[in-house]
Amino acid sequence: MISKFAIESAYAFFHQKQRVYQYSMLDWQKDDIEYAIEDYVSQMDGELYDLISKGRTDFLLHHSCFAEDIFNAVEQLEKML
């Protein structure tokens, strides 16, 4: 069972990072956000990650689809709140 705390924490972190990423014009800032999310994913509740990733092992971890993935993660977590 996924705790409400795990969902709330992931949502707060991803939402904040997604908003900055979305409007940033700085490549280094976007890279820093991708790195921070990668670090967070490595430590987050595995069951929650499996649920929001829908089994994709590279979810939130691949540069070419990061923008879409972070948007999808925030959207899914918001529905779980």
Side-chain angles (χ1 to χ4, degrees):
M1 185 168 138
I2 303 167
S3 74
K4 183 172 177 78
F5 177 77
I7 295 167
E8 290 172 343
S9 297
Y11 174 78
F13 188 73
F14 290 166
H15 182 264
Q16 187 265 343
K17 297 299 184 200
Q18 186 266 335
R19 299 294 288 174
V20 174
Y21 189 91
Q22 179 180 10
Y23 295 107
S24 178
M25 302 299 280
L26 306 170
D27 288 338
W28 65 264
Q29 186 176 40
K30 289 183 172 190
D31 289 343
D32 284 355
I33 290 169
E34 289 182 36
Y35 179 77
I37 294 291
E38 181 179 346
D39 186 55
Y40 187 89
V41 164
S42 72
Q43 300 173 42
M44 75 182 286
D45 181 291
E47 188 177 350
L48 179 57
Y49 179 76
D50 289 342
L51 183 63
I52 65 172
S53 71
K54 298 180 180 160
R56 274 190 43 218
T57 57
D58 66 342
F59 186 71
L60 295 168
L61 304 175
H62 198 277
H63 177 74
S64 66
C65 52
F66 180 82
E68 182 180 345
D69 287 351
I70 192 68
F71 177 81
N72 288 335
V74 169
E75 188 175 81
Q76 289 181 73
L77 289 164
E78 188 171 326
K79 290 177 184 176
M80 297 170 78
L81 292 176

